[in-house]
Amino acid sequence: MQARFGRRSGLSKESTGMKDCEKDDVPYPPLLPRKVNLQEVTIIPHNEWERIRGSLDKLTREAAALRAERTAKRRMHTQSQNLVKHWTNTYAGMKEQKLKAKQKRGEELEAERQILDVEEELHKEGERKKAIESAKQYQFYQTERVKSFHSGLLLSRVMKERDAQIQYKKNTEKSDKKWEEQLKLSSEKAIKEEKEKEEKQRQARLALAKDHLKQIKEREEEEKERKKNEEKDSEEIKRQNLLYEIEVKKKLSKKQKEIDENKKQFFDSIHDKNIIRAIEQQQEEEEDERTMKFIKAKKRLMQMRQDKEAEIQRLMEERKERINNFLTELMQQKLDNEDFIIARDVAEAEAEREKAEKEKNEKTQAELKAISEHRATVMKNKEEEERQRKIESKEQLLALLEADKLFQELEKEKKLKASIKQQEIQDAHVQKMAVNKFNARQLKEEDLEYWRLTEALAAEKEEEFQKYAREVIACESESTKKYTYPLVRAVQEGVGGGHGPPFVGRGGIRPSYQATDATGIQLPFYNSQGSKFDFQKSKRRLGFTW
């Protein structure tokens, strides 16, 4: 079939040429799918197709364009910032340069301050060390050993000066007249110089007196001003003290209220505890009372049961006795009537006898029947009572066993509580004894450590004193060795300044001893080589021969 509707004449759509193309391996596939009717395909011009595509992708393209524009602006802004970041002729650059310069100056100032702080700290450290050394030296000089040693040093120097003065006096006595004239001239010259010196001193004293008067006036004015300030300060202090006293009173009243409230709560708690204890005691008493009532009720029931059984037995005995008496009376009456009846009429007697016998038999049968019925009823009631009694006895026994068990548990719990409490008290006593023993041992160890440290410190101080004394004695002995005995005497072992023997176990201290009278003065120290009295002569004079 040939193509129509404006197509050029030629082969049909399913021509052999297309078939050959389909059969061949063509690298490019056809533009339309297979088995598509071309008459149903709409052909659109390229411009119209581009317009449709543009209308469909308009929002996407506008969004992409906006994103690209923003990205370009951001990139341009970043480039501009990177470009002007290091410029110094802009406001931001000048501000940054100023901030850097300010930061640099601050760092330099901080470094200088740190250096000054380090120097000041070193200076203060040196001052502290100097102060500590001077304090240690002053403290060392204030000890009794050093004071006594300095007293000996002063005594040795005084002795040396005294000998020098004696020697000088001896030398002056041997001088000649020329020396006396020269001494007279020198004395006159000295008197003249002394007068001039006194005149100068008088002028200086006058000037000093004027200066002192001026200073006195200034001090009086300052004293007036100071008094005014002190009055103001005293008024302010009085006001502050008044406010402080008011505040203290408020605090004391508040504290007293708290104490009263705590005391009230404490007494309330004690009262509540007493009430609870009384309630518990009352409950225990009620429990004991219920137990006693139960035991009494049980005894009373047993007594009632025994009384009831005795009453039943007594009633049965009385009934038996009544029946026997009644039968005996009947028999006696029968015998009496027989004589009378026999005498009156034998026939009537016989009839009466038969009638009586018949009645007697009927009555006996009725009584025997009543007795058997009564016996059966009594036995039945007795069995029922016995069964009821057994049930009640069993219930009472179970209740009594339960009460006994409860009582045993309560007693066991009380004993357990008492044993636990006793064990706690015993443990507390043992712990307290251990703590007291440990504290005693600790106190003893602390005491020993204290004496050990005291002895070590005393030995160290003694070594320091001996070193100082050796240096001073060596320095003093360079000039002369004649006057070092007081120093050697002061260096003897034993601190404390006393006259007694040194304690070996207490750091070598030498204590002082006081009199036992009211004065309490220190006892003197006698160091004699022996008694000056002849005791043998005294004994002979008194009449003793041994």
Side-chain angles (χ1 to χ4, degrees):
M1 185 181 289
Q2 294 181 353
R4 295 181 182 181
F5 303 107
R7 292 181 179 273
R8 65 182 179 83
S9 60
L11 299 175
S12 63
K13 292 185 289 185
E14 296 180 356
S15 62
T16 59
M18 291 297 292
K19 291 179 182 178
D20 294 337
C21 291
E22 289 176 1
K23 291 178 183 178
D24 295 338
D25 296 331
V26 180
Y28 301 101
L31 295 175
L32 295 175
R34 295 178 182 181
K35 298 180 182 181
V36 175
N37 191 1
L38 295 177
Q39 293 180 357
E40 296 178 358
V41 175
T42 303
I43 299 172
I44 300 172
H46 182 72
N47 294 331
E48 189 68 19
W49 174 250
E50 292 294 335
R51 185 185 65 77
I52 292 170
R53 287 180 62 186
S55 64
L56 292 173
D57 299 338
K58 183 177 180 181
L59 296 175
T60 306
R61 284 187 292 103
E62 287 179 356
L66 288 173
R67 284 197 300 271
E69 185 178 358
R70 284 198 295 269
T71 305
K73 285 183 179 180
R74 193 181 296 112
R75 185 169 58 252
M76 189 177 295
H77 182 65
T78 306
Q79 290 177 357
S80 299
Q81 285 182 347
N82 293 330
L83 183 63
V84 302
K85 183 167 63 174
H86 301 290
W87 290 359
T88 58
N89 56 352
T90 60
Y91 286 110
M94 293 171 67
K95 187 176 180 181
E96 186 176 359
Q97 292 294 325
K98 288 180 181 179
L99 289 174
K100 287 183 179 179
K102 185 177 180 181
Q103 186 177 3
K104 187 176 180 181
R105 287 196 302 273
E107 290 177 355
E108 291 176 356
L109 290 172
E110 184 64 26
E112 291 178 358
R113 290 194 197 98
Q114 289 179 0
I115 293 170
L116 290 173
D117 291 338
V118 171
E119 292 177 354
E120 186 177 0
E121 186 65 27
L122 292 174
H123 177 69
K124 287 182 178 179
E125 184 68 24
E127 292 293 331
R128 283 197 294 271
K129 287 182 179 179
K130 289 180 182 178
I132 290 169
E133 292 295 331
S134 61
K136 286 183 179 179
Q137 188 177 6
Y138 178 74
Q139 191 176 5
F140 176 71
Y141 286 157
Q142 292 299 316
T143 57
E144 296 293 334
R145 298 291 304 281
V146 177
K147 284 183 177 181
S148 62
F149 181 73
H150 285 172
S151 299
L153 178 62
L154 181 62
L155 179 59
S156 64
R157 290 181 179 176
V158 167
M159 292 169 66
K160 183 179 178 182
E161 184 65 26
R162 185 189 63 182
D163 291 345
Q165 289 178 1
I166 291 170
Q167 188 66 29
Y168 176 74
K169 188 175 181 180
K170 289 179 180 179
N171 292 331
T172 53
E173 288 178 354
K174 296 179 181 179
S175 61
D176 52 0
K177 292 180 180 181
K178 186 177 180 181
W179 177 257
E180 291 178 358
E181 290 176 358
Q182 188 177 358
L183 182 62
K184 186 177 180 181
L185 291 173
S186 62
S187 63
E188 289 176 357
K189 185 178 180 181
I191 289 168
K192 186 177 180 182
E193 290 177 356
E194 188 68 26
K195 287 181 179 180
E196 292 176 356
K197 187 177 180 181
E198 287 178 357
E199 183 65 24
K200 289 180 181 179
Q201 289 178 355
R202 190 177 67 80
Q203 295 295 332
R205 281 196 297 273
L206 289 174
L208 184 62
K210 291 179 181 179
D211 192 11
H212 283 176
L213 290 173
K214 186 178 179 181
Q215 289 181 3
I216 287 168
K217 289 181 180 179
E218 292 177 356
R219 287 183 180 178
E220 287 178 353
E221 293 177 357
E222 290 178 357
E223 185 68 20
K224 289 179 181 179
E225 187 68 24
R226 187 180 63 78
K227 285 183 179 179
K228 289 181 181 179
N229 294 329
E230 284 182 355
E231 289 178 356
K232 291 180 181 179
D233 293 340
S234 63
E235 291 177 358
E236 182 66 23
I237 289 167
K238 287 180 181 179
R239 189 177 67 81
Q240 293 292 335
N241 287 332
L242 184 61
L243 294 175
Y244 175 73
E245 288 177 357
I246 293 170
E247 189 68 24
V248 168
K249 288 180 180 178
K250 288 181 180 179
K251 288 183 178 179
L252 288 174
S253 62
K254 186 177 179 181
K255 188 174 182 182
Q256 187 64 33
K257 287 181 181 178
E258 291 178 356
I259 291 169
D260 295 338
E261 185 67 24
N262 293 331
K263 190 183 291 183
K264 184 180 178 182
Q265 292 178 0
F266 175 72
F267 285 122
D268 291 340
S269 64
I270 290 174
H271 182 65
D272 295 339
K273 287 181 180 178
N274 292 331
I275 291 171
I276 291 168
R277 193 180 294 111
I279 292 170
E280 290 177 354
Q281 188 175 1
Q282 186 178 0
Q283 290 178 355
E284 290 179 358
E285 291 177 355
E286 290 177 357
E287 186 68 24
D288 295 338
E289 187 176 356
R290 284 198 297 271
T291 305
M292 294 300 294
K293 284 182 179 180
F294 175 75
I295 293 169
K296 289 180 180 179
K298 183 178 178 182
K299 291 181 179 179
R300 188 166 59 252
L301 287 173
M302 291 176 68
Q303 186 66 32
M304 288 174 66
R305 185 170 61 250
Q306 292 176 0
D307 294 341
K308 189 173 183 181
E309 289 177 355
E311 184 66 23
I312 291 169
Q313 186 69 24
R314 187 180 61 78
L315 290 174
M316 289 180 68
E317 292 292 333
E318 288 179 356
R319 188 174 181 81
K320 278 184 180 182
E321 188 176 356
R322 271 200 316 272
I323 291 169
N324 292 327
N325 292 330
F326 179 72
L327 292 173
T328 304
E329 288 176 358
L330 286 176
M331 293 296 292
Q332 187 67 33
Q333 186 178 3
K334 182 181 177 183
L335 291 174
D336 293 337
N337 290 330
E338 281 180 358
D339 294 336
F340 183 75
I341 289 168
I342 290 169
R344 179 183 291 178
D345 195 5
V346 175
E348 289 180 3
E350 186 68 25
E352 286 292 333
R353 185 180 61 80
E354 291 178 359
K355 187 178 180 180
E357 287 180 358
K358 187 176 180 180
E359 289 178 358
K360 179 182 177 183
N361 290 329
E362 290 177 357
K363 192 174 182 180
T364 304
Q365 291 295 329
E367 288 178 356
L368 291 173
K369 186 177 180 180
I371 289 168
S372 62
E373 289 177 358
H374 179 71
R375 185 184 295 111
T377 305
V378 169
M379 293 296 291
K380 188 177 180 181
N381 292 332
K382 189 174 182 181
E383 289 176 357
E384 184 68 22
E385 288 177 359
E386 185 69 20
R387 188 174 62 81
Q388 191 68 26
R389 184 182 64 79
K390 287 182 179 180
I391 292 171
E392 290 177 357
S393 299
K394 190 174 182 180
E395 291 178 356
Q396 290 175 0
L397 181 62
L398 291 174
L400 186 62
L401 290 174
E402 187 68 24
D404 192 12
K405 185 178 179 181
L406 182 61
F407 178 74
Q408 292 293 334
E409 289 179 356
L410 290 174
E411 288 294 325
K412 190 183 293 182
E413 187 176 356
K414 287 181 181 179
K415 289 181 180 178
L416 182 61
K417 287 182 180 179
S419 63
I420 291 171
K421 188 173 181 181
Q422 187 176 4
Q423 186 66 29
E424 289 178 355
I425 293 170
Q426 187 176 1
D427 294 340
H429 287 171
V430 171
Q431 187 176 4
K432 189 173 181 181
M433 289 171 65
V435 169
N436 292 334
K437 189 174 181 181
F438 177 75
N439 290 334
R441 191 185 304 113
Q442 192 72 19
L443 288 173
K444 188 174 181 181
E445 291 178 358
E446 289 177 358
D447 195 9
L448 293 174
E449 183 68 18
Y450 168 74
W451 287 117
R452 188 180 64 78
L453 294 175
T454 303
E455 291 175 0
L457 183 61
E460 184 179 355
K461 289 183 178 180
E462 183 67 21
E463 181 65 26
E464 185 179 1
F465 172 72
Q466 293 293 338
K467 183 179 178 182
Y468 172 72
R470 283 195 297 270
E471 292 177 357
V472 173
I473 290 171
C475 182
E476 289 293 326
S477 63
E478 288 179 358
S479 60
T480 178
K481 296 182 180 180
K482 185 177 179 182
Y483 308 105
T484 58
Y485 176 73
L487 300 177
V488 175
R489 181 67 178 175
V491 177
Q492 287 182 356
E493 184 182 1
V495 295
H499 301 306
F503 286 171
V504 179
R506 292 293 181 267
I509 61 173
R510 191 185 295 274
S512 301
Y513 295 94
Q514 293 179 341
T516 57
D517 55 2
T519 60
I521 60 174
Q522 183 174 340
L523 294 176
F525 175 66
Y526 299 105
N527 190 7
S528 61
Q529 299 297 327
S531 178
K532 298 180 180 179
F533 301 99
D534 189 359
F535 291 102
Q536 298 295 330
K537 185 178 179 180
S538 300
K539 287 194 292 182
R540 287 194 299 271
R541 182 174 57 82
L542 292 172
F544 297 103
T545 58
W546 60 85

